[in-house]
Amino acid sequence: MNNKIKNRIQNMYLRDCIMAWADVLLIWLAVGFVLISILSILEDPVIRWVMIISSALLVFFNTASVGAMTKHYAEDKEFIYGLDIKHLDENRAAKR
């Protein structure tokens, strides 16, 4: 595989990782905002703890899934992005 394609693969991979982790950050912020807003309304301590624990589980599993996804992408990025690049180049050539 030549350096130009390797650079394109690496750029696509980095862009996907940045977007995935930015989404994780946004989910953490959104869940945190909603949790803080809801906790001020709730009076029952049991429900408050259920909300805290379920919110923590939500962000934990979401973060873990993005971590696993980016790890998998890193392991197979030549195959995953190589196929994308091949199709993108074929589509560009067909449009000309």
Side-chain angles (χ1 to χ4, degrees):
M1 193 175 297
N2 65 30
N3 281 340
K4 183 179 177 186
I5 292 177
K6 283 185 180 182
N7 286 338
R8 288 175 69 189
I9 288 171
Q10 185 64 24
N11 288 339
M12 289 176 79
Y13 168 72
L14 288 176
R15 218 172 338 171
D16 283 353
C17 286
I18 290 168
M19 291 306 298
W21 288 109
D23 287 344
V24 168
L25 177 64
L26 291 173
I27 286 173
W28 275 80
L29 292 173
V31 170
F33 173 76
V34 170
L35 182 63
I36 290 169
S37 299
I38 293 297
L39 289 179
S40 64
I41 299 170
L42 297 174
E43 295 176 8
D44 186 358
V46 174
I47 295 175
R48 290 172 69 97
W49 278 108
V50 168
M51 293 295 295
I52 292 168
I53 292 169
S54 62
S55 296
L57 286 172
L58 173 71
V59 295
F60 171 76
F61 284 119
N62 185 271
T63 303
S65 69
V66 169
M69 178 190 74
T70 55
K71 182 180 178 221
H72 171 70
Y73 277 20
E75 293 167 353
D76 290 338
K77 67 183 169 185
E78 283 83 17
F79 173 74
I80 295 168
Y81 296 108
L83 208 55
D84 283 348
I85 289 171
K86 177 184 171 196
H87 291 294
L88 286 170
D89 291 346
E90 287 174 357
N91 285 339
R92 282 189 193 124
K95 286 182 181 179
R96 288 186 215 151

